[in-house]
């Protein structure tokens, strides 16, 4: 997706400052500074100045309006400082308040129209939980922050993962595998399919999206002989989606849904659990996959990886996924504006 020039810059949250977030943010700025995808960071300016091998000029801004002019020469930062510095590789619950505030600020700016969208660097859940954070992750928190403004038919949040020509969306996200069958419902699959089809049209420019729906069991249940979920839940959901005007097909055996020749026959695949969606994305492009939150009134993308505390501070983190997330957010924002 080629980004159109944006009316407003993207807001990029710093993520966990003890992880690779500061490093990959600086590297993404270096890679993108001369492209039409300006962003500003919502985070701690000093953490960026201290990023491994940084040396990047960091410019504090007081408003997103200042970001585009500064972007080619310096990394613009809406500076919301940490209470105390953190040590790379050592997550600290004391930073949780700032991490949460960075996300809240970026979302607020996107909701107000001051930012074209939000790109989130990775957070770590454990230190946030230790500080009282009550959401499973970014996606659920963003759903809460935007709930009052979802008035345009948005029925999110729905998680999408993208890599190359593959787009997968998840019906269940961080459910333990043993709980997935009991968690699946016709309504959940229908909602995910509707949000996916809407996003294909609005955000990816596909006028008549084709949606493939994966089965849960081997061979998609083999007509009910090795699992009943397809006959009881998935097939009725696919039928309901078609009745609602969505070109949905399935359920398909997941083991044969992702080869290139099969991907050519659909625009997005609705998957029923976490690894069913993420494994093919990471096999296709381990370094460049992107997480997109669908069904929200704002644009939100993020890298498809975590905080990587084990390599934080060593200067070896790859920014590929963050760069792809910024470019995709810019493309979606350009279509929406």
């Amino acid at each position: 997706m080629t980004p159109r020039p944006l009316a407003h810059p993207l807001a990029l949250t710093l993520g966990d400052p003890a992880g690779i977030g500061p490093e990959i943010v600086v590297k993404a700025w270096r890679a993108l500074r001369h492209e039409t995808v300006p962003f500003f960071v919502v985070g701690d300016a000093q953490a960026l100045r201290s990023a491994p091998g940084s040396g990047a000029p960091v410019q504090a801004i007081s408003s997103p309006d200042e970001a585009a002019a500064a972007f080619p020469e310096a990394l613009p930062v809406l500076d919301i400082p940490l209470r105390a510095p953190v040590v790379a590789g050592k997550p600290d619950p004391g930073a949780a308040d700032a991490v949460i505030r960075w996300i809240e600020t970026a979302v607020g700016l996107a909701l107000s129209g001051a930012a074209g969208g939000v790109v989130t660097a990775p957070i770590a859940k454990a230190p946030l939980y230790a500080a009282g954070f009550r959401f499973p992750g970014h996606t659920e928190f963003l759903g809460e922050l935007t709930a009052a403004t979802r008035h345009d038919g948005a029925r999110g949040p729905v998680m999408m993962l993208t890599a190359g020509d593959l787009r997968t969306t998840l019906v269940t996200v961080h459910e333990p595998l043993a709980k997935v069958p009991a968690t699946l419902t016709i309504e959940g699959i229908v909602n995910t399919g509707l949000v996916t089809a809407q996003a294909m049209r609005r955000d990816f420019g596909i006028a008549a999206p084709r949606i493939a729906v994966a089965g849960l069991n081997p061979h998609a249940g083999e007509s009910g002989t090795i699992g009943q979920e397809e006959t009881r839940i998935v097939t009725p959901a696919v039928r309901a989606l078609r009745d609602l005007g969505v070109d949905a097909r399935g359920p398909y055996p997941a083991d044969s849904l992702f080869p290139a020749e099969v991907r050519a026959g659909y625009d997005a695949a609705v998957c029923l659990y976490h690894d069913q969606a993420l494994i093919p994305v990471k096999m296709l492009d381990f370094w460049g996959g992107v997480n997109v939150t669908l069904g929200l009134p704002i644009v939100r993308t993020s890298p498809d990886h975590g905080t990587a505390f084990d390599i934080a501070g060593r200067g070896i983190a790859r920014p590929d996924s963050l760069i792809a997330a910024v470019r995709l957010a810019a493309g979606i924002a350009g279509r929406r504006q």
Side-chain angles (χ1 to χ4, degrees), residues 30 58 68 100 125 171 173 181 183 186 197 208 231 262 293-294 317 335:
R30 290 191 185 282
V58 174
I100 293 167
K125 299 177 181 65
V171 178
V173 182
T183 305
I186 295 172
T231 56
V262 181
T293 307
L294 308 182
R335 290 190 181 278

Side-chain angles (χ1 to χ4, degrees), residues 14-19 90-93 95-96 99-100 103 121-131 133 135-138 305-309:
L14 190 57
D16 192 307
K90 296 184 178 180
D92 183 356
V99 172
I100 293 167
I103 299 168
I123 59 173
K125 299 177 181 65
L128 294 181
Y129 293 160
F133 189 69
F135 298 92
H138 258 131
H305 61 69
T307 52
F309 290 125

Side-chain angles (χ1 to χ4, degrees), residues 156-245:
V158 165
M159 183 184 290
M160 169 181 278
L161 285 303
T162 73
D165 65 346
L166 176 60
R167 307 176 188 95
T168 62
T169 54
L170 285 75
V171 178
T172 68
V173 182
H174 293 123
E175 291 291 339
L177 189 57
K179 295 184 178 180
V180 168
T183 305
L184 287 175
T185 64
I186 295 172
E187 293 78 11
I189 296 171
V190 169
N191 186 69
T192 302
L194 288 172
V195 172
T196 302
Q198 179 196 52
M200 290 298 96
R201 291 188 294 268
R202 179 175 66 167
D203 296 335
F204 292 86
I206 299 171
R210 302 160 299 167
I211 308 299
V213 181
L216 177 68
N217 296 295
H219 304 178
E222 197 75 74
S223 300
T225 60
I226 48 177
Q228 298 293 318
E229 286 82 5
E230 284 77 11
T231 56
R232 291 190 298 103
I233 301 171
V234 187
T235 296
V238 172
R239 189 180 305 119
L241 283 167
R242 294 184 66 82
D243 289 344
L244 291 167

Side-chain angles (χ1 to χ4, degrees), residues 52-186:
S54 174
V58 174
Q59 180 176 327
I61 59 174
S62 58
S63 165
D65 294 338
E66 303 170 24
F71 190 75
E73 303 301 328
L75 176 55
V77 183
L78 194 62
D79 189 21
I80 302 176
L82 294 159
R83 293 181 181 177
V86 299
V87 177
K90 296 184 178 180
D92 183 356
D97 286 348
V99 172
I100 293 167
R101 189 178 170 201
W102 298 339
I103 299 168
E104 292 172 337
T105 300
V107 170
L109 291 169
L111 286 171
S112 73
V118 176
V119 181
T120 57
I123 59 173
K125 299 177 181 65
L128 294 181
Y129 293 160
F133 189 69
R134 61 183 179 86
F135 298 92
H138 258 131
T139 300
E140 296 83 359
F141 187 36
L142 291 167
E144 176 74 12
L145 292 175
T146 60
T149 62
R150 294 207 298 273
H151 52 73
D152 62 349
R155 297 156 60 109
V158 165
M159 183 184 290
M160 169 181 278
L161 285 303
T162 73
D165 65 346
L166 176 60
R167 307 176 188 95
T168 62
T169 54
L170 285 75
V171 178
T172 68
V173 182
H174 293 123
E175 291 291 339
L177 189 57
K179 295 184 178 180
V180 168
T183 305
L184 287 175
T185 64
I186 295 172

Side-chain angles (χ1 to χ4, degrees), residues 214-308:
L216 177 68
N217 296 295
H219 304 178
E222 197 75 74
S223 300
T225 60
I226 48 177
Q228 298 293 318
E229 286 82 5
E230 284 77 11
T231 56
R232 291 190 298 103
I233 301 171
V234 187
T235 296
V238 172
R239 189 180 305 119
L241 283 167
R242 294 184 66 82
D243 289 344
L244 291 167
V246 176
D247 183 5
R249 308 289 174 89
Y252 294 110
D255 65 349
S256 58
L257 186 55
F258 302 108
E261 296 84 355
V262 181
R263 296 199 305 270
Y266 62 84
D267 300 298
V270 171
C271 297
L272 305 184
Y273 59 93
H274 185 276
D275 286 7
Q276 191 179 65
L278 271 71
I279 288 174
V281 167
K282 293 192 176 189
M283 288 294 292
L284 187 63
D285 187 355
F286 182 79
W287 297 109
V290 178
N291 180 347
V292 190
T293 307
L294 308 182
L296 299 182
I298 63 170
V299 176
R300 183 266 177 154
T301 66
S302 73
D304 182 25
H305 61 69
T307 52

